[in-house]
Amino acid sequence: MKKVGVAILGLGVVGGGTYQILTEHREFYQRTQNVDIVVESVLELNRERTRALGVPSDKIASNIAEIVSDPDVSIVVEVIGGVEAAREYVLAALNAGKTVVTSNKELFCKYSHELERAAKRQNAGLYFEASCVGGVPIIRTLLDGVQANKISSMMGIINGTTNYILTKMTNEGTSYEESLREAQQLGYAEADPTADVEGFDAAYKLSILASLAFHTKVPFTKVFREGISGVSKEDIADAKELGYILKLLAIGKQSDAGIEVRVHPTFVRKDHPLASVNDSFNAVFLTGDSVGDVMLYGRGAGALPTGSAIVSDIIYAATHSENKYSTFKNTANADKDTNFISDFKSAYYMRLTVEDKAGFLAKIATVFGKHNISLVELLQKPGKAEDGKVPLVLVTHETHEMSIRKAVAKINSMEGVAHVDTVLRVVS
Amino acid sequence: MKKVGVAILGLGVVGGGTYQILTEHREFYQRTQNVDIVVESVLELNRERTRALGVPSDKIASNIAEIVSDPDVSIVVEVIGGVEAAREYVLAALNAGKTVVTSNKELFCKYSHELERAAKRQNAGLYFEASCVGGVPIIRTLLDGVQANKISSMMGIINGTTNYILTKMTNEGTSYEESLREAQQLGYAEADPTADVEGFDAAYKLSILASLAFHTKVPFTKVFREGISGVSKEDIADAKELGYILKLLAIGKQSDAGIEVRVHPTFVRKDHPLASVNDSFNAVFLTGDSVGDVMLYGRGAGALPTGSAIVSDIIYAATHSENKYSTFKNTANADKDTNFISDFKSAYYMRLTVEDKAGFLAKIATVFGKHNISLVELLQKPGKAEDGKVPLVLVTHETHEMSIRKAVAKINSMEGVAHVDTVLRVVS
């Protein structure tokens, strides 16, 4: 039986989960995968962690050089996180001809071309299933499951922290701040939650997934990004009233016109399969030209779910000598020629505060008409009109982002008529 | 660029879809998969079909021998359906060293060992993603996406016809007969619907999927099977009232005690992800020891979705020289030693007609108590008690199938007390 030596860089949450899965399942993989996967080495300075996991002391390396020069190690798992050290270690491993398995979305998103070149040069494998959507095998599916399709659209709930917060706001009517605080207490959100709540994490993942789905490199910098920190109780309540659920969606679309990639809070119609993806669960909803709609659902984070993705990559690497970096086969072309669409089309939800005076509706309607915006729904809410102001809620048909921005600017300039409080995008 | 010649046996619905995808996407696969896939030959006697698809006459073979002796053909796609001819053709192709891609669940389910031996002998590939759940890449996921996991449970809505019928009954309150008739008119059900409505189709697929998930051959004959032809309007209405949706589930479980596999109409709690899988959509809900819950959702049938699965297999076969029949690696062992559990555990829904006399409840309760059955819910329904009989609905805690059967037999023997009209299994 083929024996494959693994080194794990970092025994934090995901590294610990990976270590645990590999050691507990060794016999299981021998039996079912016909391969003997052995953890030969770990790089972890924190002795509490190595002790808690029961790592034998002769398997604890002192530095990366020891690992990359170890002939018994053929697969290096990078789960230290961060960018600089991870990049250095991964390059060192690839340059030494080791196959690398990483969960590092930021690293992969920012440096995939460099890592790819190093991997190809040495004919080393480079795998990153765990970088996106935890245990859900979305990357394997894009590469080997729906690769017969031209993918026109991908919509995902790919950040567990924000989904937890929005689910709580929806189910319990709590504010953003309260919900974030609870997510932090439960360990679902970090002390500095910026990367999650402002959509950076989702944007990194979308960059990777869209690159695979659309067969061209989609740089992180092209992703339109809006977080959930501005979402109010009123937005959540309006969504419900109009038959939607508010979710942070990562959306990628490809057509003859080009590619659009965006992360933003979105009204999702409540009977859409994504609408019932709750708490810290994630899902990706794909549309292919042959397969139609496909959705993958599961846990987007956590020691064991993410460890599952890493170990699946390890097994794949250990049992395939081809297609080690099939990603690049698909993303090498067209980088420079791709048209990225910033003036994308969407339907919109808008909440305005209007002066309750005769003719205000005609004035607003004129602005919309001028920008070719037509309405699906208009809801004048019974507001506290003491100061002569009332809330107005509307949903538009599909229109251009730029038309909406211009219309909003125009309405906000019409003092004494109306003010736009919120604009959110809508998927029906 | 590597050129790969394909022959398609049968240009029915799925064969036609496959032909269309391959011819329309040839340039796309050259660009994105670095392989030139060419349809070299088709075997189809119906000239209307070949004409409708525009198959050049020099690509129409007259018999299977022509195809298996064609050196330009390396992959043979079997989509003729049925068992006898398909088996003969597939064996002929494998014996000639051709890789086979099939959508034929009945063939694969019944003859996988024979096909496997032939494939291994010639080092030919054997792929069957399209045999289960149409375009949903569930087989690829089991093999290469969640293979790091010990799968403890798999629950699927894997037959589109029955899901269409049950969705219609649920949403519109129609009877089974009316719903079946409409499904037949729309082409979702066949003139003889037995294979679908009696659960044979789902049982074939479950046999294949459970074999992969549990790494041991799960014969079709071990699948407990109950169809939906006995489902009544009352069952559907009771499900709703109790907070469930009635679905035909295929369930596979593995534990230290053994494997259980069963297909039956099931009450699914309405907030379970499977409960909102409607119409002809399919889904499979897996539980792995590391990844936790994962669900795949999509179209389980149709020319293009099933064609998508076939073409994904073709591309995989064309770009991988290893893992051609990785299924067998995982299913060769333990066939004889596997314990198949027929006395499985489940919760149950039951509807009884009881004589509205003092003490009837105590009598029924005694029977349940004797068989260790405890109740979650008991609902005495306001019935037409003119004849002194009233309907009684109950849901049990988890108990043994055999205990339920014994209790039902006992109750039915107590004349003048109660009669059990329906027993259905419940997943919460």
Side-chain angles (χ1 to χ4, degrees), chain B residues 172-190:
Chain B
E172 299 173 26
T174 48
S175 71
Y176 168 74
E177 289 75 17
E178 289 171 83
S179 307
L180 169 61
R181 214 172 307 125
E182 187 177 310
Q184 287 170 321
Q185 279 156 6
L186 290 169
Y188 289 157
E190 306 202 29

Side-chain angles (χ1 to χ4, degrees), chain A residues 40-345:
Chain A
E40 292 286 357
S41 189
V42 303
L43 187 62
E44 173 58 64
L45 302 180
N46 185 329
R47 285 293 158 271
E48 269 175 50
R49 289 181 179 173
T50 47
R51 214 175 300 124
L53 288 161
V55 183
S57 57
D58 64 336
K59 295 209 165 184
I60 303 174
S62 347
N63 54 54
I64 184 72
E66 234 173 77
I67 285 173
V68 301
S69 62
D70 184 343
D72 289 338
V73 169
S74 57
I75 298 176
V76 173
V77 177
E78 184 278 301
V79 277
I80 48 174
V83 169
E84 280 320 308
R87 179 182 170 206
E88 183 197 326
Y89 292 179
V90 165
L91 284 171
L94 292 172
N95 287 334
K98 312 291 189 200
T99 282
V100 167
V101 173
T102 178
S103 64
N104 196 326
K105 56 197 147 285
E106 190 178 352
L107 171 71
F108 196 80
C109 173
K110 291 183 174 167
Y111 293 102
S112 65
H113 276 330
E114 183 186 21
L115 305 183
E116 164 193 1
R117 277 194 303 272
K120 277 193 171 168
R121 215 161 35 223
Q122 298 290 335
N123 196 28
L126 179 53
Y127 297 87
F128 48 95
E129 179 69 77
S131 69
C132 294
V133 205
V136 178
I138 178 65
I139 289 179
R140 182 58 51 209
T141 296
L142 287 169
L143 291 175
D144 286 337
V146 297
Q147 83 279 36
N149 291 263
K150 294 182 185 176
I151 306 287
S152 56
S153 161
M154 122 186 305
M155 297 197 293
I157 295 172
I158 58 179
N159 178 273
T161 307
T162 49
N163 204 40
Y164 178 85
I165 292 171
L166 292 175
T167 301
K168 198 173 157 60
M169 290 178 74
T170 299
N171 292 348
E172 298 174 28
T174 48
S175 71
Y176 167 75
E177 288 74 17
E178 289 171 83
S179 307
L180 169 61
R181 213 172 307 125
E182 188 176 309
Q184 287 171 320
Q185 279 157 6
L186 290 169
Y188 288 158
E190 307 203 28
D192 175 0
T194 311
D196 290 315
V197 300
E198 297 305 344
F200 288 97
D201 175 84
Y204 292 141
K205 294 170 183 164
L206 179 60
S207 154
I208 296 172
L209 295 176
S211 298
L212 295 171
F214 302 144
H215 303 287
T216 189
K217 183 76 187 164
V218 176
F220 166 66
T221 51
K222 297 292 184 185
V223 180
F224 171 88
R225 185 184 46 72
E226 189 178 298
I228 66 161
S229 58
V231 169
S232 68
K233 284 187 185 187
E234 287 73 29
D235 300 336
I236 300 273
D238 284 350
K240 273 192 194 170
E241 193 175 342
L242 293 162
Y244 298 92
I245 305 280
L246 186 58
K247 295 288 184 191
L248 183 71
L249 286 199
I251 299 175
K253 294 189 181 182
Q254 186 176 43
S255 67
D256 292 340
I259 287 173
E260 62 182 73
V261 272
R262 43 195 172 101
V263 171
H264 49 64
T266 314
F267 276 29
V268 180
R269 196 158 265 296
K270 71 171 190 291
D271 56 2
H272 191 285
L274 286 171
S276 44
V277 175
N278 287 323
D279 299 317
S280 61
F281 275 94
N282 280 196
V284 180
F285 190 89
L286 295 169
T287 306
D289 62 346
S290 300
V291 75
D293 294 336
V294 169
M295 187 172 84
L296 276 75
Y297 163 99
R299 293 213 172 270
L304 294 179
T306 309
S308 165
I310 288 176
V311 177
S312 289
D313 269 353
I314 292 172
I315 295 170
Y316 191 94
T319 55
H320 290 74
S321 61
E322 301 157 309
N323 300 85
K324 296 169 173 184
Y325 33 75
S326 36
T327 54
F328 315 126
K329 172 180 75 188
N330 304 338
T331 59
N333 58 316
D335 288 15
K336 288 180 305 256
D337 307 330
T338 309
N339 180 39
F340 289 98
I341 299 166
S342 53
D343 187 18
F344 52 80
K345 289 179 87 174

Side-chain angles (χ1 to χ4, degrees), chain B residues 82-199:
Chain B
V83 170
E84 280 320 307
R87 178 182 171 207
E88 182 196 326
Y89 292 179
V90 165
L91 284 171
L94 292 171
N95 286 335
K98 313 291 187 198
T99 282
V100 167
V101 174
T102 179
S103 64
N104 197 326
K105 55 197 146 288
E106 190 178 352
L107 172 71
F108 195 81
C109 172
K110 292 184 174 168
Y111 294 102
S112 66
H113 275 330
E114 183 184 21
L115 305 183
E116 164 193 3
R117 277 194 303 273
K120 278 193 169 167
R121 214 160 35 223
Q122 298 291 333
N123 196 27
L126 179 52
Y127 297 87
F128 48 95
E129 179 68 76
S131 69
C132 294
V133 207
V136 178
I138 178 66
I139 290 179
R140 183 57 51 210
T141 296
L142 287 169
L143 291 174
D144 286 338
V146 297
Q147 82 279 37
N149 291 263
K150 294 182 185 175
I151 306 288
S152 56
S153 160
M154 122 186 306
M155 295 197 293
I157 294 172
I158 58 178
N159 177 272
T161 306
T162 48
N163 205 40
Y164 178 85
I165 292 171
L166 293 174
T167 301
K168 199 174 155 59
M169 290 178 75
T170 300
N171 293 347
E172 299 173 26
T174 48
S175 71
Y176 168 74
E177 289 75 17
E178 289 171 83
S179 307
L180 169 61
R181 214 172 307 125
E182 187 177 310
Q184 287 170 321
Q185 279 156 6
L186 290 169
Y188 289 157
E190 306 202 29
D192 175 359
T194 311
D196 290 315
V197 301
E198 297 304 344

